[in-house]
Amino acid sequence: MEVDAFRRLFPVHYYERLSKLIRPMLDPRKKPEILLWAVASSDGSALAKIGSATMLAAIKMEVMTPSVYSPSEGSIVVEFHMPPICSPVVRPGRPAEVAPELSLIKGKAAWVAYLYINCLDADGALFNAALLSAVAAFSHLDIPVVSLNDEGRMVMVSKELEGEKRKLLLKSIPFSLTCVLHKNYYILADPTFEEESIMETFITVVLNSSAQLVSLYKPGGQRRKELQEINEAISTMEID
């Protein structure tokens, strides 16, 4: 039987047999690629590709009135989109939103950075590609020039002064690695969508440029499987 046919018919056995022989570490075919300024109308943007997984990040800067509870802090509003075209298993839905912080003028004006991340190809380890696109976009962000108008409000300066835009300095750059786990012994780094779909769970580790742990995320696993089996059993019970 041909190798590709065996992989399609018996994917779990295929990856179990090759886990220690072919790719226990990073896939050399998935070298990250970055294209800067992929969206001309943005204040910063980047297209990131890891293997086939592709993310497009674009940033738009605006001025807002800061919260009375955080007068010296602005915010980053993140929207993550996965359109159906990026994968046959994706269904339309609302974008995810989170909001970290940036600053401008205490109590009067603050920056809000709208970060839009669009998934163009969902071929595994999506967080890695999304984070890479976001970091690349922020690393080359042009912060617009602003000033106070006659009414005392903060406004954007005309495009004639675009040369005065400032760059954002990132003190620490995060990077991530995802591994899929199977039967407590099989670990595969940098997975594709196919590899993710047949494994029990995955783990994503995020470090910064100082090798400090930023976050550790591990959903699923054996405990989650047991809970799912219990819920399924309860749902089939007949109650008098």
Side-chain angles (χ1 to χ4, degrees):
M1 182 182 294
E2 294 184 0
V3 174
D4 187 61
F6 180 79
R7 177 179 62 82
R8 293 179 181 275
L9 292 173
F10 309 102
V12 175
H13 296 296
Y14 171 82
Y15 287 112
E16 284 180 346
R17 290 185 181 184
L18 299 184
S19 62
K20 295 182 179 181
L21 299 176
I22 300 297
R23 192 164 67 81
M25 301 302 290
L26 295 178
D27 188 345
R29 299 168 299 177
K30 300 181 69 175
K31 183 178 180 180
E33 300 178 19
I34 298 175
L35 174 64
L36 299 175
W37 297 108
V39 181
S41 60
S42 67
D43 293 312
S45 60
L47 179 72
K49 186 175 182 180
I50 304 178
S52 296
T54 308
M55 295 285 174
L56 174 62
I59 304 171
K60 197 65 178 176
M61 301 292 292
E62 293 186 8
V63 176
M64 70 173 190
T65 302
S67 167
V68 293
Y69 302 104
S70 304
S72 61
E73 296 178 345
S75 64
I76 304 174
V77 178
V78 183
E79 289 192 7
F80 181 75
H81 299 264
M82 288 190 68
I85 194 174
C86 74
S87 171
V89 300
V90 172
R91 297 292 180 269
R94 295 185 61 186
E97 297 185 7
V98 295
E101 309 288 318
L102 281 181
S103 66
L104 186 65
I105 298 179
K106 184 176 181 179
K108 293 184 178 181
W111 287 115
V112 53
Y114 291 96
L115 171 62
Y116 304 95
I117 302 178
N118 290 275
C119 179
L120 304 183
D121 191 329
D123 188 25
L126 300 185
F127 182 85
N128 300 342
L131 179 61
L132 180 62
S133 67
V135 170
F138 272 111
S139 297
H140 296 80
L141 176 67
D142 283 335
I143 302 177
V145 179
V146 295
S147 64
L148 290 173
N149 61 14
D150 295 337
E151 298 176 355
R153 295 182 179 180
M154 194 71 65
V155 295
M156 298 288 185
V157 173
S158 63
K159 292 186 177 181
E160 284 75 12
L161 296 178
E162 282 186 349
E164 298 184 16
K165 289 185 176 181
R166 295 175 293 131
K167 295 291 184 180
L168 180 66
L169 177 62
L170 299 180
K171 294 183 179 180
S172 181
I173 298 177
F175 58 93
S176 62
L177 174 65
T178 297
C179 297
V180 288
L181 313 176
H182 180 60
K183 293 185 179 179
N184 297 323
Y185 69 86
Y186 173 34
I187 302 176
L188 181 65
D190 207 17
T192 63
F193 172 77
E194 179 183 66
E195 293 164 350
E196 286 183 341
S197 66
I198 62 175
M199 299 298 144
E200 292 183 354
T201 187
F202 66 91
I203 182 170
T204 298
V205 180
V206 182
L207 302 176
N208 61 21
S209 51
S210 299
Q212 296 175 319
L213 180 64
V214 176
S215 71
L216 181 67
Y217 179 62
K218 179 187 174 295
Q222 184 62 31
R223 179 56 179 166
R224 181 177 180 181
K225 183 178 180 181
E226 293 172 354
L227 292 175
Q228 288 177 339
E229 292 175 349
I230 293 173
N231 290 332
E232 291 173 0
I234 292 175
S235 65
T236 58
M237 293 176 60
E238 295 183 1
I239 301 176
D240 295 332

